[in-house]
Structures are given as structure tokens and as C-alpha cells.
Amino acid sequence: IFGISEHFSNGIGIDGNSIHFENVEDPAAIIEIPSSILDAVEGGEDIIRFTHAIFDTESLFLRRRELLERDRYLKVGSTIISASVNNETIQDLQDPVIITLRKNESLKNETRGLQCSFWDPNADDGYGNWSGKGCYVINETEDEVICGCNHLTSFVLILDVAPVTESTTSSPPFIEKSLQHVSFIGVCVSIVCFVIIILTYLIERRLRSTSN
């Protein structure tokens, strides 16, 4: 487990299930890499290089202005943590990488939803964007979220902080569909009644003409 905080440990341990740093105090983010990832390293090298980094802001993960405006209520809501092995692209893992991320204190009480995400440099036509593909929520508490992902890259929590307003009164889809059906039936009934009135008028007019 890689634990990220102001204090770092020196010891690294490998057990049957994961590779981890030891004695990390109060981490802002934790990443647990399955030992099976060693099978995904090309060439079966004897020396395995683990690299990780943390970022307090997304200033190095630039998104287009148009995208920021469209997704203005989707905020980076945690520390960003990156990890790599031998600087290789690691993806489609059988055993998931487990990431624990602490929610941003200033945003967590405004959150309407969240997504475990990673930085995809190929998204948005190559401009790059946060994506949830291959990631999912394992567990959520008031203060942190545990995510699972099938690859190694840069991970973060994306929080939906869209405001809830009284004007947001859209009906559920099934109600809207029912109203459409009622409207359609009402129109059909009106047409039938109109046709009956016309036929009645024509028949009455014809009877009057015959009697005269």
C-alpha cells in the first residue's frame, strides 16, 4: 500500500496479496497495488521500479475551457495520486488497484454525487479529461471513498456539486410518459366527437331536404 501524507516511511513490504509501504501515518491517499501486477510487467525484469506522486491541485492536468464551462459543477474533490511500474502502461488488470481517497473538506458537504476517476490523456479528442472508465466505488464513508480500478495512472475523486434549487421541478420520466398518453387519447376523443357532430349535421340536413 502506498500511503501519502506529510510523513513517509522507508520500509517497503511484499506479501502474498499486495506491495505496500509500511508505517505511513494519516495518509491523504492510499493506493494498494496487487502483487499480480508483476505478471503484467514486460520482459519479466529483475528490477521493478515503482514510481508515485501526489498533487494538491489539478494545475498539471489541463482541460479545455469549453469543457470546464460545460462541467463547471464537476470538481476535483481529493488529492490526486499517480502510480506507475517501470514507466509502462499497465491496464486491464485481473486484480484491481485499490485507491482510498479522502474527500475535500470544503466540498464534501455540498456533494450530490461522485465518481472514481483517472486522467485519460486521449479523452476529449486528445486534449485530456478525467474519466471513470475501468473505475468504480467499492465503499464510501462521510470522509473518504475506496475505489477500484483495472489500471495504473493518476487517480482522483470527481465530485458533483451542482446546487439544488426550488425551480428544479421536472417530473419523473414515467409521469411525463403518462401525460403524453393522456394527451394523445384526449386528442383522439376530440377528433371522434368532431366527426360525429359533422355526420349528425349532414344526416339531419339531408332528412330535412327529403321531407320538404
Side-chain angles (χ1 to χ4, degrees):
I1 299 172
F2 294 108
I4 308 304
S5 68
E6 296 178 357
H7 308 285
F8 293 88
S9 63
N10 296 321
I12 298 179
I14 300 180
D15 58 31
N17 300 314
S18 63
I19 303 164
H20 58 277
F21 283 120
E22 299 172 346
N23 301 322
V24 180
E25 299 179 6
D26 190 27
I30 302 172
I31 182 166
E32 181 179 348
I33 300 176
S35 58
S36 58
I37 202 171
L38 300 178
D39 299 330
V41 177
E42 295 181 0
E45 299 182 21
D46 294 333
I47 299 177
I48 305 297
R49 299 177 180 86
F50 290 92
T51 306
H52 70 280
I54 58 171
F55 307 91
D56 287 333
T57 69
E58 60 171 331
S59 57
L60 295 180
F61 303 86
L62 301 178
R63 292 179 284 171
R64 290 188 303 118
R65 181 177 300 176
E66 293 85 350
L67 198 66
L68 290 172
E69 176 60 26
R70 188 196 71 184
D71 299 336
R72 61 187 179 276
Y73 293 123
L74 300 180
K75 303 293 185 182
V76 168
S78 71
T79 295
I80 301 169
I81 181 169
S82 300
S84 65
V85 177
N86 285 4
N87 202 29
E88 296 181 11
T89 299
I90 305 293
Q91 57 188 8
D92 299 325
L93 294 169
Q94 274 192 327
D95 301 315
V97 176
I98 307 299
I99 311 102
T100 302
L101 297 167
R102 185 185 301 165
K103 297 178 184 177
N104 184 298
E105 288 292 333
S106 63
L107 295 176
K108 69 178 184 179
N109 293 328
E110 303 174 18
T111 302
R112 310 293 174 227
L114 58 85
Q115 183 179 56
C116 296
S117 303
F118 73 99
W119 180 253
D120 183 356
N122 299 317
D124 192 27
D125 296 326
Y127 286 97
N129 191 19
W130 297 108
S131 170
K133 184 178 180 181
C135 293
Y136 54 93
V137 175
I138 295 177
N139 189 46
E140 178 185 359
T141 66
E142 182 180 352
D143 297 318
E144 65 181 25
V145 177
I146 300 176
C147 303
C149 294
N150 66 357
H151 50 266
L152 274 184
T153 179
S154 299
F155 303 102
V156 75
L157 280 181
I158 296 296
L159 304 182
D160 181 357
V161 295
V164 177
T165 61
E166 293 182 1
S167 59
T168 306
T169 56
S170 57
S171 301
F174 70 91
I175 293 182
E176 293 182 356
K177 193 170 183 179
S178 298
L179 291 175
Q180 291 175 358
H181 289 163
V182 171
S183 299
F184 177 75
I185 294 173
V187 170
C188 292
V189 171
S190 298
I191 293 174
V192 170
C193 291
F194 182 70
V195 171
I196 291 174
I197 291 173
I198 293 177
L199 289 176
T200 302
Y201 173 76
L202 292 176
I203 292 172
E204 185 179 355
R205 184 177 179 182
R206 187 172 181 179
L207 290 173
R208 287 181 179 180
S209 299
T210 304
S211 62
N212 292 334

